[in-house]
Amino acid sequence: GMVPFANASDGGGSIRIPASCCGLVGLKPSQGRITVGPLRAEVGLGVELCVSRTVRDTAGLLDAVRGPGVGDTVIAPAPLRPYLDEVGAEPGRLRIGLLDFHPRGGFVHQDCVDAVQSAASMLESLGHIVEPAWPPCLADTTLQQKFMALWATQLAMAARGFSATLGREVTAADIEPVNWVLIERARHVSAVDYAAAENAVYAFRRALQQWWADGWDLLLTPTVSEPPIPLVEFENNPEHPTAPMRRGGEFAAFTPPFNMSGQPAISLPVHRNADGLPIGVQLAAAYGREDVLIRIAAQLESAHPWAGYRPTA
């Protein structure tokens, strides 16, 4: 509560995941909605915005920072009106697909299933159509491999940028072990390997976006696969340096696809478990349709307010 919103970036879920764990609103905008210029690559997975307590605060910041920069080539379609005007606007009757299990066979905690099913009931009570349905390509068991091929090489590029800033080569002493392992692996990826991974991601991107083109407005999923877990579960393990990344992949099963597809997705704090821990749900929209997400998020917030909640202990 110290600030109305706080800067956040999202390359695999790093806006939506902490929003879920902290009872906040977390919108990952469409790729190209906010410029990454003048230095970052537009083909990257990451986008910038914030976490906030209210949908209005997120919408207001998005209005302030949206738009292309000089020389941008990836540019999301301009909104028809300010995003603040979408807060309280009638969303219409939306067709929403419900995915309340791990599409690739992984574990999803019952609390997270309860959260997404509760959100589905809320949406139905507001007049929307919610049906079990989801993009078939989310079942692709090579999805993590495709994502990590880009993640690791972009991490290696970031390390090169750190070296330029420091005026010396970064070493393993400068970088967390899990990230250093990925950087070392990326250095052995050929240009052809990277191009093949990029092509695979673009094929996935088209397949995922096709589901919205086939007549769906939103996809409802858990944001994460478990309630908030102790940070020690992500601590570095000298014997198994990639263990934190594997644990993170289990926890963040539902967010990375929308970094790969470039679509907007939002985590909303509509649920708490029996221990009082916040558990977010994720709504994803078609590319460029942050307006739809803001309308439905504001409608849910009005019907089930969350901003005033404070932990009891």
Side-chain angles (χ1 to χ4, degrees):
M2 290 164 47
V3 293
F5 46 71
N7 171 250
S9 61
D10 192 316
S14 296
I15 289 175
R16 291 159 288 162
I17 296 163
S20 176
C21 293
C22 298
L24 299 172
V25 175
L27 171 63
K28 183 203 86 70
S30 298
Q31 187 181 32
R33 174 64 64 212
I34 302 167
T35 184
V36 296
L39 298 177
R40 282 171 54 189
E42 294 178 273
V43 296
L45 297 164
V47 294
E48 302 277 339
L49 194 58
C50 69
V51 290
S52 71
R53 284 195 177 275
T54 71
V55 176
R56 178 174 292 278
D57 284 336
T58 285
L61 183 62
L62 186 57
D63 278 328
V65 300
R66 70 171 178 83
V70 175
D72 283 1
T73 57
V74 179
I75 302 172
L80 298 178
R81 58 183 180 178
Y83 289 113
L84 269 176
D85 290 351
E86 305 298 349
V87 178
E90 174 56 47
R93 194 181 194 204
L94 301 179
R95 189 180 182 210
I96 302 170
L98 169 64
L99 176 59
D100 59 1
F101 60 92
H102 196 307
R104 296 176 297 284
F107 172 73
V108 179
H109 194 284
Q110 186 59 46
D111 286 349
C112 299
V113 176
D114 292 345
V116 78
Q117 290 179 349
S118 174
S121 297
M122 293 177 192
L123 290 163
E124 286 179 326
S125 72
L126 294 168
H128 303 292
I129 302 167
V130 183
E131 306 173 62
W134 48 281
C137 62
L138 290 177
D140 182 355
T141 55
T142 67
L143 197 58
Q144 187 173 15
Q145 176 184 340
K146 294 172 183 174
F147 176 81
M148 289 308 299
L150 296 188
W151 180 279
T153 50
Q154 290 170 20
L155 188 60
M157 283 294 294
R160 182 175 291 184
F162 298 153
S163 295
T165 300
L166 293 170
R168 62 170 177 81
E169 287 294 315
V170 295
T171 68
D174 301 304
I175 305 287
E176 286 185 306
V178 61
N179 289 331
W180 187 254
V181 168
L182 295 174
I183 289 167
E184 289 287 278
R185 287 182 182 176
R187 288 172 175 162
H188 298 287
V189 174
S190 72
V192 174
D193 292 336
Y194 183 77
E198 216 171 33
N199 282 345
V201 168
Y202 280 119
F204 170 79
R205 180 184 188 128
R206 292 187 177 95
L208 186 59
Q209 291 192 19
Q210 184 62 48
W211 187 80
W212 278 262
D214 288 341
W216 295 90
D217 296 302
L218 296 169
L219 177 65
L220 171 64
T221 76
T223 303
V224 292
S225 58
E226 302 171 55
I229 58 180
L231 291 177
V232 293
E233 295 199 25
F234 298 110
E235 284 187 353
N236 292 314
N237 183 330
E239 294 183 9
H240 304 283
T242 59
M245 183 63 73
R246 289 197 298 272
R247 186 68 182 95
E250 294 167 356
F251 188 65
F254 295 92
T255 52
F258 303 104
N259 297 89
M260 295 168 70
S261 72
Q263 293 170 253
I266 192 168
S267 181
L268 299 174
V270 299
H271 188 77
R272 281 175 171 74
N273 67 7
D275 295 324
L277 292 173
I279 299 176
V281 300
Q282 177 177 249
L283 286 161
Y287 179 75
R289 296 310 306 268
E290 287 91 337
D291 55 345
V292 176
L293 287 180
I294 290 170
R295 283 180 218 147
I296 194 70
Q299 187 183 44
L300 279 167
E301 184 180 28
S302 178
H304 304 275
W306 54 66
Y309 179 84
R310 296 294 186 276
T312 56

